[in-house]
Coordinates of all heavy atoms in Angstrom, one line a residue:
E21 N 71.6 71.5 44.3 CA 72.9 71.7 44.9 C 73.0 73.0 45.6 O 73.5 73.1 46.8 CB 74.0 71.6 43.9 CG 74.3 70.2 43.4 CD 75.1 69.4 44.4 OE1 75.7 70.0 45.4 OE2 75.3 68.2 44.2
S22 N 72.5 74.1 45.0 CA 72.6 75.4 45.6 C 71.7 75.5 46.9 O 72.1 76.2 47.8 CB 72.4 76.5 44.6 OG 71.0 76.5 44.2
L23 N 70.5 74.9 46.8 CA 69.6 74.9 47.9 C 70.2 74.2 49.1 O 70.1 74.7 50.3 CB 68.3 74.3 47.6 CG 67.4 75.1 46.6 CD1 66.2 74.3 46.2 CD2 67.0 76.5 47.1
V24 N 70.9 73.1 48.9 CA 71.5 72.3 50.0 C 72.7 73.0 50.5 O 73.0 73.1 51.7 CB 71.8 70.9 49.5 CG1 72.6 70.1 50.6 CG2 70.5 70.1 49.2
A25 N 73.5 73.7 49.6 CA 74.7 74.3 50.0 C 74.4 75.5 50.9 O 75.3 75.8 51.8 CB 75.4 74.9 48.8
R26 N 73.3 76.1 50.9 CA 73.0 77.2 51.8 C 72.6 76.8 53.2 O 72.5 77.6 54.1 CB 71.9 78.2 51.2 CG 70.5 77.7 51.1 CD 69.6 78.7 50.4 NE 69.2 79.8 51.2 CZ 68.0 79.8 51.9 NH1 67.1 78.9 51.7 NH2 67.8 80.9 52.6
V27 N 72.4 75.5 53.4 CA 72.0 75.0 54.7 C 73.3 74.7 55.5 O 74.2 73.9 55.0 CB 71.2 73.7 54.6 CG1 70.9 73.1 56.0 CG2 69.9 73.9 53.9
P28 N 73.5 75.4 56.6 CA 74.8 75.2 57.4 C 74.8 73.8 58.0 O 73.8 73.2 58.3 CB 74.8 76.3 58.4 CG 73.4 76.9 58.4 CD 72.7 76.4 57.2
E29 N 76.0 73.3 58.1 CA 76.2 72.0 58.8 C 75.8 72.2 60.3 O 76.0 73.2 60.9 CB 77.7 71.6 58.7 CG 78.0 70.2 59.1 CD 77.6 69.2 58.1 OE1 77.4 69.4 56.9 OE2 77.3 68.0 58.6
G30 N 75.2 71.1 60.8 CA 74.8 71.1 62.2 C 73.4 71.7 62.4 O 72.6 71.7 61.4
W31 N 73.1 72.2 63.6 CA 71.7 72.6 63.9 C 71.7 74.2 63.8 O 72.6 74.9 64.3 CB 71.4 72.2 65.3 CG 69.9 72.5 65.7 CD1 68.9 71.6 65.5 CD2 69.4 73.6 66.3 NE1 67.7 72.2 66.0 CE2 68.0 73.4 66.5 CE3 69.9 74.8 66.7 CZ2 67.2 74.3 67.0 CZ3 69.1 75.8 67.3 CH2 67.7 75.5 67.4
T32 N 70.6 74.7 63.3 CA 70.4 76.1 63.1 C 68.9 76.4 63.3 O 68.0 75.7 62.8 CB 70.8 76.6 61.7 OG1 72.1 76.2 61.4 CG2 70.7 78.1 61.5
A33 N 68.6 77.5 64.1 CA 67.3 78.0 64.2 C 66.9 78.8 63.0 O 67.7 79.7 62.6 CB 67.1 78.8 65.5
V34 N 65.8 78.5 62.4 CA 65.4 79.2 61.1 C 63.9 79.6 61.2 O 63.2 79.1 62.1 CB 65.7 78.4 59.9 CG1 67.1 78.0 59.8 CG2 64.8 77.1 59.8
S35 N 63.5 80.4 60.3 CA 62.1 80.7 60.1 C 61.6 80.2 58.8 O 62.3 80.4 57.8 CB 61.9 82.2 60.2 OG 60.6 82.6 60.0
Y36 N 60.4 79.7 58.7 CA 59.8 79.3 57.5 C 58.3 79.5 57.6 O 57.7 79.0 58.5 CB 60.1 77.8 57.1 CG 59.4 77.3 56.0 CD1 59.7 77.7 54.7 CD2 58.4 76.4 56.1 CE1 59.0 77.2 53.6 CE2 57.7 75.9 55.0 CZ 58.0 76.3 53.7 OH 57.3 75.9 52.7
A37 N 57.7 80.2 56.6 CA 56.2 80.4 56.6 C 55.7 80.9 57.9 O 54.7 80.5 58.4 CB 55.5 79.1 56.2
G38 N 56.5 81.8 58.5 CA 56.1 82.5 59.8 C 56.2 81.6 61.0 O 55.8 82.0 62.1
R39 N 56.9 80.5 60.9 CA 57.1 79.6 62.0 C 58.6 79.3 62.3 O 59.3 79.4 61.4 CB 56.3 78.3 61.8 CG 54.8 78.4 61.7 CD 54.2 77.1 61.5 NE 52.7 77.2 61.6 CZ 51.9 77.3 60.6 NH1 52.4 77.4 59.4 NH2 50.6 77.4 60.8
R40 N 58.9 79.0 63.5 CA 60.3 78.7 63.9 C 60.5 77.2 63.7 O 59.7 76.4 64.1 CB 60.6 79.1 65.3 CG 60.6 80.6 65.5 CD 60.7 81.0 67.0 NE 61.7 80.3 67.7 CZ 62.9 80.7 68.0 NH1 63.3 81.9 67.6 NH2 63.8 80.0 68.6
Y41 N 61.7 76.9 63.1 CA 62.1 75.5 62.9 C 63.5 75.3 63.4 O 64.3 76.3 63.4 CB 62.1 75.1 61.4 CG 60.8 74.8 60.9 CD1 59.9 75.8 60.6 CD2 60.4 73.5 60.6 CE1 58.6 75.5 60.0 CE2 59.1 73.2 60.1 CZ 58.2 74.2 59.8 OH 57.0 73.9 59.3
G42 N 63.9 74.1 63.9 CA 65.2 73.7 64.1 C 65.7 72.9 62.8 O 65.1 71.9 62.5
L43 N 66.7 73.4 62.1 CA 67.1 72.8 60.9 C 68.5 72.2 61.1 O 69.4 72.8 61.6 CB 67.2 73.9 59.8 CG 67.8 73.5 58.4 CD1 67.0 72.4 57.8 CD2 67.8 74.8 57.5
T44 N 68.6 70.9 60.7 CA 69.8 70.2 60.9 C 70.3 69.6 59.6 O 69.5 69.0 58.8 CB 69.6 69.0 61.9 OG1 69.1 69.5 63.1 CG2 70.9 68.2 62.1
R45 N 71.6 69.8 59.3 CA 72.2 69.3 58.1 C 73.4 68.4 58.6 O 74.2 68.8 59.4 CB 72.8 70.3 57.2 CG 73.6 69.8 56.1 CD 74.3 70.9 55.4 NE 75.4 70.3 54.5 CZ 75.8 70.8 53.4 NH1 75.2 71.9 52.9 NH2 76.7 70.2 52.7
K46 N 73.4 67.2 58.1 CA 74.6 66.3 58.4 C 75.1 65.8 57.0 O 74.4 65.3 56.2 CB 74.1 65.1 59.2 CG 73.7 65.4 60.6 CD 73.3 64.2 61.4 CE 72.8 64.6 62.8 NZ 72.3 63.4 63.5
T47 N 76.4 65.9 56.8 CA 77.0 65.5 55.6 C 77.7 64.1 55.9 O 78.4 64.0 56.9 CB 78.1 66.5 55.2 OG1 77.4 67.8 55.0 CG2 78.7 66.1 53.9
H48 N 77.5 63.2 55.0 CA 78.0 61.8 55.1 C 78.9 61.4 53.9 O 78.8 62.1 52.9 CB 76.8 60.8 55.2 CG 75.8 61.2 56.2 ND1 75.9 60.9 57.5 CD2 74.6 61.9 56.0 CE1 74.8 61.3 58.1 NE2 74.0 61.9 57.3
T49 N 79.6 60.4 54.1 CA 80.4 59.7 53.1 C 81.2 60.7 52.2 O 81.0 60.8 51.0 CB 79.6 58.8 52.2 OG1 78.5 59.6 51.6 CG2 79.0 57.6 52.9
D50 N 82.1 61.5 52.9 CA 82.9 62.5 52.2 C 82.2 63.4 51.3 O 82.6 63.8 50.2 CB 84.0 61.7 51.4 CG 84.9 60.9 52.3 OD1 85.2 61.3 53.4 OD2 85.4 59.8 51.8
G51 N 81.0 63.8 51.8 CA 80.2 64.8 51.0 C 79.3 64.2 49.9 O 78.6 65.0 49.3
R52 N 79.3 62.9 49.8 CA 78.5 62.3 48.7 C 77.0 62.3 49.1 O 76.2 62.1 48.2 CB 79.0 61.0 48.4 CG 80.4 61.0 47.7 CD 80.8 59.7 47.3 NE 80.9 58.8 48.5 CZ 81.9 57.9 48.7 NH1 82.8 57.7 47.8 NH2 81.9 57.2 49.8
S53 N 76.7 62.4 50.4 CA 75.3 62.5 50.7 C 75.1 63.4 51.9 O 76.0 63.7 52.7 CB 74.7 61.1 51.1 OG 75.3 60.6 52.3
V54 N 73.9 64.0 51.9 CA 73.5 65.0 52.9 C 72.1 64.7 53.4 O 71.2 64.5 52.6 CB 73.6 66.5 52.3 CG1 73.1 67.5 53.4 CG2 75.0 66.8 51.8
S55 N 72.0 64.7 54.7 CA 70.7 64.6 55.4 C 70.2 66.0 55.8 O 71.0 66.7 56.4 CB 70.7 63.7 56.6 OG 71.1 62.4 56.2
V56 N 69.0 66.3 55.5 CA 68.4 67.6 56.0 C 67.1 67.2 56.8 O 66.3 66.5 56.3 CB 68.0 68.5 54.8 CG1 67.3 69.7 55.2 CG2 69.3 68.8 54.0
F57 N 67.0 67.8 58.0 CA 65.9 67.5 58.8 C 65.5 68.8 59.5 O 66.3 69.5 60.1 CB 66.2 66.5 59.9 CG 65.0 66.2 60.8 CD1 64.0 65.4 60.3 CD2 64.9 66.7 62.1 CE1 62.9 65.1 61.2 CE2 63.9 66.4 62.9 CZ 62.8 65.6 62.4
A58 N 64.2 69.2 59.4 CA 63.7 70.4 60.0 C 62.5 70.0 60.8 O 61.6 69.3 60.3 CB 63.4 71.5 59.0
E59 N 62.4 70.5 62.0 CA 61.3 70.3 62.9 C 60.8 71.6 63.5 O 61.5 72.4 64.0 CB 61.8 69.4 64.1 CG 60.7 69.0 65.0 CD 61.2 67.9 66.0 OE1 62.4 67.9 66.3 OE2 60.3 67.2 66.5
E60 N 59.5 71.8 63.3 CA 58.9 73.0 63.8 C 59.0 73.0 65.3 O 58.6 72.1 66.0 CB 57.4 73.1 63.4 CG 56.7 74.4 63.8 CD 55.2 74.4 63.3 OE1 54.8 73.5 62.6 OE2 54.6 75.3 63.7
L61 N 59.5 74.1 65.8 CA 59.7 74.3 67.3 C 58.3 74.6 67.9 O 57.7 75.7 67.7 CB 60.7 75.4 67.6 CG 62.1 75.1 67.0 CD1 63.0 76.3 67.3 CD2 62.7 73.8 67.5
G62 N 57.8 73.7 68.7 CA 56.5 73.9 69.3 C 55.3 73.6 68.4 O 54.2 74.0 68.7
G63 N 55.6 72.9 67.3 CA 54.5 72.6 66.4 C 54.7 71.2 65.7 O 55.7 70.6 65.9
P64 N 53.8 70.9 64.8 CA 53.9 69.5 64.2 C 54.7 69.4 62.9 O 54.9 68.4 62.4 CB 52.4 69.2 63.9 CG 51.8 70.6 63.6 CD 52.5 71.5 64.6
G65 N 55.1 70.6 62.4 CA 55.8 70.6 61.1 C 57.1 69.8 61.0 O 57.9 70.0 61.9
V66 N 57.3 69.0 60.0 CA 58.6 68.3 59.8 C 58.9 68.3 58.3 O 58.0 68.2 57.5 CB 58.5 66.8 60.3 CG1 59.7 66.0 59.9 CG2 58.2 66.8 61.8

């Protein structure tokens, strides 16, 4: 819960393991579910 809570809603540029990612959080069904998707910018990481 705390790990998901620190992800902002919408799209955010982040760094992970020395690489840049686009991190997206979408909250659904009145907060009962959350989708998290991160894609390495210019790389294969997902």
Side-chain angles (χ1 to χ4, degrees):
E21 284 281 351
S22 68
L23 292 173
V24 172
R26 70 183 283 260
V27 178
E29 190 73 24
W31 189 91
T32 306
V34 303
S35 174
Y36 173 72
R39 296 183 170 96
R40 291 173 46 99
Y41 281 78
L43 174 58
T44 303
R45 172 189 166 150
K46 292 182 184 175
T47 302
H48 309 277
T49 57
D50 297 325
R52 292 182 301 218
S53 69
V54 174
S55 298
V56 176
F57 180 78
E59 184 173 23
E60 184 180 353
L61 302 176
V66 172

